[in-house]
Amino acid sequence: MSYLKIWDAPAGAVGRDDFIVSVRAAGENWQPLFVYEAKVDMHNVRRASIAYFDMEGSVEVRVESRKEIVRQVVIRPLSKQIPFKVEGAAITFRLNEPCKLSIEVNGDRFGNLHLFANAPEENPPEADGPNVLFLKPAIHRMEDVYQLAGSPKEPGGAAPDVIYFGPGMHYLEETIFRIPSGKTVYIAGGAIVVGSLVCDHVQDVTIRGRGVLYLSDFHRFSAFRGVRITYSNHISVEGIVLLDPPHYSIYIGKSDHIRIRNFKSFSTRGWCDGIDMMSSSHIEIEDVFLRTSDDCIAVYGSRWDYKGDSRCVRVKNSVLWADVAHAMNIGGHGDYRRGGDLIEDIEFSNIDILEHHEPQPGYWGAMNINAGDNNTVRNVTFDNIRVEDFELGQLLDIRVVWNEKYNWSCQKKCSLKTPSFRNLVTKLPVTAFFRDKQLGASPQD
């Protein structure tokens, strides 16, 4: 039995007409998907496409190219081995499981279609549930939202557990929503929230849904993040799409027990990393798609106001696309004044790397470990990593290094224990593995 769920986009959503995308369960009628615009690549910002749906069982997909004659098609990650047919301008294929794909016509990786076939949501809240604060599309005065979220819906009752953004356009006055402890923020399919979500000194918060968090209209130096998690614990982010944040997609500082699942993000600004963590532990990242114009995922020790070690980070079953910088970056920041931090027990498994493009040789490395600020980096594992052909950089960069721009101290006490590599698959030329950059020292055991 097949299951298929789609959503209409609200009036005001920024769409793209390069592709017409339709889906259907076996034997059913075709259903059109709204195609969102996603800006990509900081060096030369271009406009790609996104469409998404939920599925179970078997689903057919039809993608029609409207911008050019179809001469060649690639569906990535190549590891998915998706068979397809081309008839005229139409590409058709079948999906038998949820996945995250890039459909590229005539070699175009920048005007491509990103297709996200999600698994069905698990126990989504009901809009009219007794524990739900339902927000209609509006410009939301946040003081009013905080008051409603903290007040019983009925005399003698409990305050709502769920803050539900219904389908439509939502604008957060003053841009930031500081989520209280114990709350679930649900962004429904067909909802777009223009603003930034913040978890600061809170616990037991969930951010989930099938809607979009939109930050494309804010200036780079506004530094808004999609989701900011600081001094918090037991936080979950699941299912949403983030478009063009001015800074990190998800920013984690001095927090623990953070779970991120089925999160999709696109960025085009300087320092707009995907998921970065400082002095944090017990981080689980699963089934994410990150196309970013700086590091996709970075694991650091101390930085800014966040002090301490980082450990127990697991990243698995994900697709990483670094239009700029590294797909994976470990070790660059720490508290050199106290002799450095310990960054340990980091594991990346079952990862597809679709791109690594970095014009600056000092920042080459699709997989990067640069022990800086007197840090010790140990117990790092890369398992079942598939690296597709990339534009500019190198496969690995593993060094003790002093980066004059980001490190405050020369590396006298850094320690880098040799990482473990298992099942690393790539068709890159040998010259892309290591290139002599004459920068910094060699790794130390």
Side-chain angles (χ1 to χ4, degrees):
M1 188 70 176
S2 296
Y3 169 86
L4 177 64
K5 186 173 180 59
I6 67 173
W7 299 269
D8 294 328
V14 180
R16 193 83 187 147
D17 62 1
D18 290 344
F19 300 96
I20 298 173
V21 185
S22 303
V23 293
R24 69 179 179 185
E28 302 293 332
N29 295 325
W30 289 106
Q31 300 184 62
L33 301 180
F34 183 82
V35 180
Y36 291 85
E37 178 182 279
K39 296 177 183 177
V40 298
D41 188 22
M42 177 181 76
H43 293 131
N44 179 14
V45 177
R46 282 156 284 187
R47 287 163 170 77
S49 301
I50 303 173
Y52 64 90
F53 55 93
D54 282 8
M55 65 161 288
E56 192 172 50
S58 181
V59 170
E60 295 177 71
V61 180
R62 185 179 189 273
V63 177
E64 181 181 346
S65 175
R66 299 187 63 195
K67 62 180 180 178
E68 56 186 328
I69 297 171
V70 177
R71 298 183 298 274
Q72 179 193 34
V73 176
V74 175
I75 299 179
R76 303 195 299 143
L78 298 176
S79 63
K80 293 297 183 183
Q81 299 183 327
I82 304 290
F84 59 87
K85 296 180 180 179
V86 178
E87 297 180 359
I91 307 153
T92 57
F93 53 92
R94 183 185 298 271
L95 298 178
N96 296 313
E97 63 181 8
C99 57
K100 295 171 173 59
L101 302 174
S102 170
I103 293 91
E104 299 161 13
V105 174
N106 301 336
D108 187 357
R109 291 188 176 188
F110 299 98
N112 59 320
L113 171 67
H114 304 84
L115 188 70
F116 302 135
N118 304 299
E121 290 189 85
E122 299 177 6
N123 302 314
E126 297 290 340
D128 58 354
N131 66 330
V132 173
L133 170 62
F134 181 80
L135 299 178
K136 297 179 180 180
I139 301 171
H140 299 289
R141 183 176 181 269
M142 297 315 300
E143 291 302 324
D144 293 340
V145 174
Y146 297 142
Q147 183 177 4
L148 291 169
S151 303
K153 293 178 67 175
E154 302 291 342
D161 298 321
V162 179
I163 301 161
Y164 190 119
F165 289 93
M169 296 294 300
H170 299 262
Y171 300 88
L172 306 185
E173 198 174 83
E174 299 182 353
T175 311
I176 287 176
F177 181 7
R178 299 183 182 277
I179 306 169
S181 290
K183 301 295 185 183
T184 292
V185 172
Y186 185 79
I187 305 175
I192 297 178
V193 176
V194 181
S196 172
L197 307 180
V198 174
C199 300
D200 181 51
H201 289 89
V202 296
Q203 59 186 3
D204 301 319
V205 168
T206 297
I207 299 166
R208 60 175 298 198
R210 290 294 184 267
V212 174
L213 196 60
Y214 187 83
L215 286 164
S216 188
D217 294 334
F218 294 92
H219 191 276
R220 169 188 174 186
F221 296 123
S222 67
F224 290 123
R225 293 93 182 188
V227 180
R228 176 155 53 100
I229 303 168
T230 54
Y231 304 104
S232 297
N233 61 79
H234 295 94
I235 310 296
S236 175
V237 181
E238 188 271 326
I240 63 174
V241 176
L242 171 63
L243 295 179
D244 207 20
H247 201 241
Y248 300 162
S249 294
I250 298 181
Y251 172 118
I252 305 171
K254 198 59 179 175
S255 297
D256 62 81
H257 294 92
I258 311 299
R259 187 184 187 202
I260 301 165
R261 184 164 59 99
N262 189 22
F263 174 74
K264 290 82 65 175
S265 182
F266 299 80
S267 66
T268 61
R269 331 292 183 91
W271 306 310
C272 59
D273 299 32
I275 302 171
D276 279 21
M277 60 210 76
M278 301 93 173
S279 302
S280 295
S281 63
H282 298 94
I283 313 295
E284 296 183 11
I285 300 170
E286 180 180 6
D287 189 29
V288 301
F289 184 103
L290 304 176
R291 183 171 187 178
T292 57
S293 285
D294 211 322
D295 304 332
C296 293
I297 295 177
V299 184
Y300 300 135
S302 299
R303 195 178 191 193
W304 299 315
D305 295 331
Y306 314 109
K307 305 298 183 183
D309 303 332
S310 287
R311 57 173 51 89
C312 300
V313 177
R314 304 286 180 266
V315 183
K316 62 182 180 181
N317 307 334
S318 294
V319 180
L320 306 180
W321 185 322
D323 282 319
V324 181
H326 314 287
M328 312 167 191
N329 183 19
I330 301 170
H333 297 287
D335 187 353
Y336 71 94
R337 292 184 181 89
R338 74 177 186 104
D341 295 319
L342 179 59
I343 301 171
E344 64 176 348
D345 297 330
I346 315 297
E347 181 178 359
F348 290 88
S349 63
N350 195 30
I351 306 293
D352 288 282
I353 298 177
L354 301 193
E355 184 58 277
H356 164 49
H357 180 113
E358 178 50 62
Q360 302 176 85
Y363 299 95
W364 283 350
M367 290 175 280
N368 179 76
I369 305 176
N370 280 184
D373 283 344
N374 296 328
N375 290 336
T376 293
V377 180
R378 67 187 188 192
N379 299 338
V380 177
T381 301
F382 298 96
D383 185 13
N384 198 18
I385 311 296
R386 298 169 295 274
V387 186
E388 300 192 13
D389 192 18
F390 52 68
E391 289 189 314
L392 180 61
Q394 69 184 33
L395 181 65
L396 304 170
D397 187 17
I398 302 172
R399 295 180 292 153
V400 168
V401 63
W402 176 43
N403 184 316
E404 293 181 343
K405 185 175 181 180
Y406 291 111
N407 295 133
W408 292 94
S409 172
C410 292
Q411 310 312 308
K412 297 179 180 179
K413 299 181 181 178
C414 280
S415 175
L416 200 168
K417 305 298 182 182
T418 304
S420 172
F421 293 91
R422 297 194 295 263
N423 304 314
L424 175 59
V425 179
T426 179
K427 295 183 179 180
L428 295 168
V430 173
T431 54
F433 278 64
F434 299 96
R435 295 191 176 109
D436 183 6
K437 297 189 289 292
Q438 298 298 320
L439 295 171
S442 299
Q444 300 174 358
D445 288 333

